[in-house]
Structures are given as structure tokens and as C-alpha cells.
């Protein structure tokens, strides 16, 4: 698969799973993301909401389309109405309830609602049902991700105050709500597109700047505690086009066989349905410095 390009599924159709995430469940991987498979709506500078797609794979290269697992709704009052914003879906499996829980950025057409939606399903391939929308801890929420720690605790990481600050908010045991504990980090840094991982006992957060669909420099931050003091370190990308994140934007960090990978969206603003993807290896040196280098292809995880 050529990094930076739109990828095709096993049926040869464009993969529509933007702003996505990958969940490993039993021996399969599930990729959830925004289905943008229609022309841009000129008045809104984006694709009207279609829904959240799911693809599954045994090797992270051959992806089978599992359908739209959360669909746009025709009711104009619905938070999932096609005119609204449904972005960056992230899915976790909850061992206590045996359910799959999806959180996503939900917004009004002018991005003034700035909230999240929470949906759940009995199967990884859905159907997901929207449980509720909320403003986490009564605060704004725009770009967001979920992170599940080794102890099973899970966190919502969301940009607030028009992206000025990032909040890290702990979820309850069923992952379907917040438990009320949160911290505000990277105050006034104006970052979005958060993605998290853990390596060598440290938490890492990769973010992008805020330039709409245009690429900018990534930045990573580190903290010894997920709800601790995060320190901004540097741009993890190295080599040509590293100042523009290789013309991509972070969507997700995941690990397979103890190796970390960063997934990027390569937005195509004039025709978002043709936006590409890349998956790049992430390395850490002995001092914990994180590096992401460009690779022309994604051939699956290293053994
Ligand atoms: C940048 C965000 O990261 C994307 O998810 C999307 O909301 C675009 N902005 C819209 O311009």
C-alpha cells in the first residue's frame, strides 16, 4: 500500500475510514473511520455525514469492508444529521460489559456545539447505537482520541476552548461516560489531532497544529503519568517534508508485536473522499526520543 495515497479494500474500492483508529480484538484488527465517500458539499467545505465505516483485517494490509456501523440520520434534530459534523471516531472494547464503545467528535454545522457522542455495540462490526451526546465535564470538545491504559482505565483526550488547550478526562468503568476526573494540559498551545501511546514507562502524545485541512508540523509531548505534567518535546518527524508531517495529520497510534506505528490522514481538501492514508513506524532511542520517518509503502507490521 502506497503511503500518502487513498488505499483500496480487498474488493478494490476506496477505503473510507478517515480520522480513524485501529482496534485489535481476538485475532482480527478493526479499522473505524469517517466515511467521506461523496463529493464535498461546497457550502460546508466538507462531505455531508454518511456515517462511520468499519473494515477488518488479519494482517493490517488486506481490509474487508464491514459496512457503515453508525449511520447518518435524516432527522434534522439528530446529532447524526447529514448536515452536522461527525469526526475522529475511536473505539475501545470494554471487558466488563463485553461491549464495543465508540466516542466521536459531534458538532453543529458551524462547529459551535463542540461535543462528543458515545455509541455502543455488541459486536466489533456493529451496529453501534448512539447512547448520548455530552460536553465532557461541561467543557468543549473538538478533535479527540481515546486511550486505554494497561490497567484497563481509559481516557478521553480532547481539544477545548477553540483548541487552545487539551483535556485528559478519565472514563468510567463501562467506558460510556466520564468519571469526573480530568486535567488540562498543553495550555494555550493550540494543538489538535491527538494520538497517544506508551513506551518505556512514559506516555507520548502526538498532535498537529490547527490549520484546517492543510498540513503543518507535528509535535510530541511526554509525561510519566497520563494525568500528570506533559512536557512538549519536539517534532517527531524526520527527513524531507517532516515540517509538514509528510503532508499528513495524525489520526492514531497503535502497537503490534511491541512496535509502534503512527497512522496519518492525507487530506485532499477539494475532494475529501480521495484523502489518503499512511502508516509509519515509530522508533524510540535509549533516551526516549521519539522519531517518525517516511516510508513509501505500508507492508504490514514487522515480525
Ligand atoms: C482539522 C481536524 O483535525 C479535522 O478532523 C477536521 O475537523 C478539519 N480540521 C476541518 O477543517
Amino acid at each position: 500500500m502506497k503511503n500518502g495515497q487513498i488505499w483500496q479494500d480487498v474488493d478494490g474500492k476506496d477505503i473510507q475510514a478517515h480520522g480513524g483508529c485501529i482496534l485489535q480484538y481476538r485475532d482480527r484488527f478493526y479499522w473505524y473511520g469517517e466515511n467521506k465517500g461523496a463529493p464535498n458539499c461546497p457550502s460546508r467545505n466538507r462531505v455531508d455525514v454518511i456515517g462511520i465505516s468499519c473494515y477488518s483485517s488479519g494482517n493490517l494490509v488486506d481490509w474487508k469492508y464491514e459496512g457503515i456501523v453508525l449511520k447518518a440520520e435524516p432527522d434534522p434534530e439528530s446529532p447524526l444529521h447529514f448536515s452536522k459534523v461527525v469526526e475522529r471516531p475511536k473505539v475501545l472494547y470494554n471487558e466488563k460489559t463485553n461491549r464495543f464503545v465508540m466516542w466521536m467528535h459531534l458538532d453543529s454545522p458551524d462547529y459551535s456545539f463542540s461535543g462528543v457522542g458515545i455509541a455502543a455495540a455488541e459486536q466489533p462490526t456493529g451496529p453501534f447505537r448512539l447512547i448520548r451526546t455530552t460536553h465532557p465535564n461541561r467543557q468543549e470538545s473538538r478533535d479527540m482520541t481515546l486511550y486505554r491504559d494497561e490497567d484497563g482505565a481509559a481516557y478521553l483526550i480532547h481539544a477545548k476552548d477553540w483548541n487552545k488547550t487539551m483535556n485528559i478526562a478519565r472514563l468510567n468503568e463501562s467506558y460510556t461516560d466520564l468519571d469526573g476526573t480530568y486535567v488540562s494540559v498543553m495550555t494555550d498551545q493550540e494543538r489538535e489531532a491527538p494520538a497517544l501511546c506508551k513506551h518505556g514507562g512514559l506516555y507520548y502524545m502526538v498532535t498537529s497544529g490547527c490549520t484546517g485541512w492543510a498540513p503543518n508540523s507535528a509535535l510530541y509531548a511526554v509525561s510519566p503519568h497520563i494525568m500528570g505534567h506533559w512536557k512538549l518535546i519536539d517534532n517527531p518527524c524526520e527527513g524531507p517534508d517532516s515540517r509538514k508531517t509528510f503532508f499528513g495529520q495524525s489520526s492514531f497510534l497503535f502497537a503490534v508485536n511491541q512496535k509502534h506505528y503512527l497512522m496519518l490522514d492525507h487530506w485532499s481538501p477539494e475532494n475529501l473522499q480521495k484523502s489518503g492514508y499512511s502508516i509509519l513506524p515509530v522508533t524510540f532511542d535509549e533516551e526516549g526520543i521519539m522519531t517518525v520517518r517516511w516510508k513509501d509503502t505500508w507492508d504490514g507490521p514487522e515480525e
Side-chain angles (χ1 to χ4, degrees):
M1 292 166 116
K2 277 197 167 167
N3 278 332
Q5 313 278 309
I6 180 97
W7 292 345
Q8 279 74 40
D9 64 15
V10 289
D11 295 322
K13 300 215 169 86
D14 287 351
I15 295 182
Q16 288 296 334
H18 309 276
C21 71
I22 287 175
L23 172 74
Q24 185 170 7
Y25 176 67
R26 302 206 169 134
D27 56 355
R28 259 184 114 65
F29 298 96
Y30 296 87
W31 176 1
Y32 303 90
E34 304 157 30
N35 189 315
K36 293 191 180 298
N40 286 16
C41 168
S43 63
R44 290 194 262 271
N45 191 27
R46 59 175 182 268
V47 176
D48 281 346
V49 180
I50 297 170
I52 305 304
S53 316
C54 175
Y55 293 80
S56 76
S57 172
N59 61 6
L60 290 152
V61 173
D62 302 307
W63 292 98
K64 173 177 177 269
Y65 182 50
E66 299 284 359
I68 297 181
V69 295
L70 183 72
K71 291 191 174 75
E73 291 176 359
D75 174 6
E77 298 301 314
S78 164
L80 299 174
H81 184 249
F82 69 84
S83 66
K84 300 200 174 161
V85 171
V86 181
E87 289 182 340
R88 297 189 176 267
K90 303 289 174 261
V91 178
L92 295 178
Y93 171 64
N94 186 280
E95 282 164 12
K96 295 207 168 88
T97 60
N98 200 22
R99 291 208 297 175
F100 299 83
V101 185
M102 179 189 292
W103 287 62
M104 72 214 91
H105 172 195
L106 284 188
D107 230 317
S108 42
D110 62 356
Y111 282 88
S112 63
F113 175 74
S114 60
V116 291
I118 303 137
E122 307 300 324
Q123 301 296 329
T125 50
F128 282 80
R129 197 178 53 80
L130 191 67
I131 304 171
R132 82 175 80 83
T133 67
T134 190
H135 288 99
N137 299 305
R138 295 167 301 285
Q139 305 197 24
E140 266 186 10
S141 182
R142 298 177 195 280
D143 274 11
M144 49 136 284
T145 194
L146 293 180
Y147 180 75
R148 183 186 184 277
D149 212 341
E150 288 147 346
D151 62 1
Y155 301 83
L156 170 72
I157 297 89
H158 64 98
K160 65 158 193 167
D161 299 344
W162 283 101
N163 298 322
K164 291 274 182 297
T165 296
M166 210 51 89
N167 266 15
I168 302 177
R170 199 163 63 201
L171 306 191
N172 68 359
E173 288 208 338
S174 64
Y175 301 165
T176 55
D177 207 346
L178 288 310
D179 82 351
T181 317
Y182 72 93
V183 288
S184 297
V185 303
M186 302 191 322
T187 309
D188 288 335
Q189 293 300 322
E190 289 205 46
R191 308 300 301 170
E192 55 183 7
L196 268 78
C197 71
K198 193 176 187 181
H199 174 82
L202 291 173
Y203 296 87
Y204 289 78
M205 189 193 311
V206 175
T207 56
S208 76
C210 300
T211 51
W213 302 115
N216 52 53
S217 290
L219 196 53
Y220 78 97
V222 175
S223 174
H225 304 288
I226 191 156
M227 291 187 128
H229 296 285
W230 286 78
K231 215 157 95 179
L232 285 165
I233 306 293
D234 204 350
N235 182 352
C237 302
E238 263 188 15
D241 307 316
S242 55
R243 297 281 302 272
K244 297 271 181 213
T245 316
F246 316 113
F247 305 109
Q249 185 187 27
S250 41
S251 57
F252 197 62
L253 276 162
F254 64 94
V256 182
N257 303 334
Q258 264 124 55
K259 301 250 167 61
H260 292 273
Y261 299 92
L262 176 65
M263 202 170 180
L264 302 177
D265 289 302
H266 294 261
W267 301 116
S268 170
E270 306 303 321
N271 191 16
L272 283 161
Q273 62 182 322
K274 285 292 176 189
S275 299
Y277 310 101
S278 54
I279 298 180
L280 301 172
V282 178
T283 57
F284 299 89
D285 73 7
E286 317 77 65
E287 282 159 15
I289 302 294
M290 179 188 225
T291 305
V292 180
R293 289 192 185 84
W294 180 251
K295 257 191 99 191
D296 286 338
T297 58
W298 163 246
D299 308 306
E302 289 172 44
E303 286 305 310

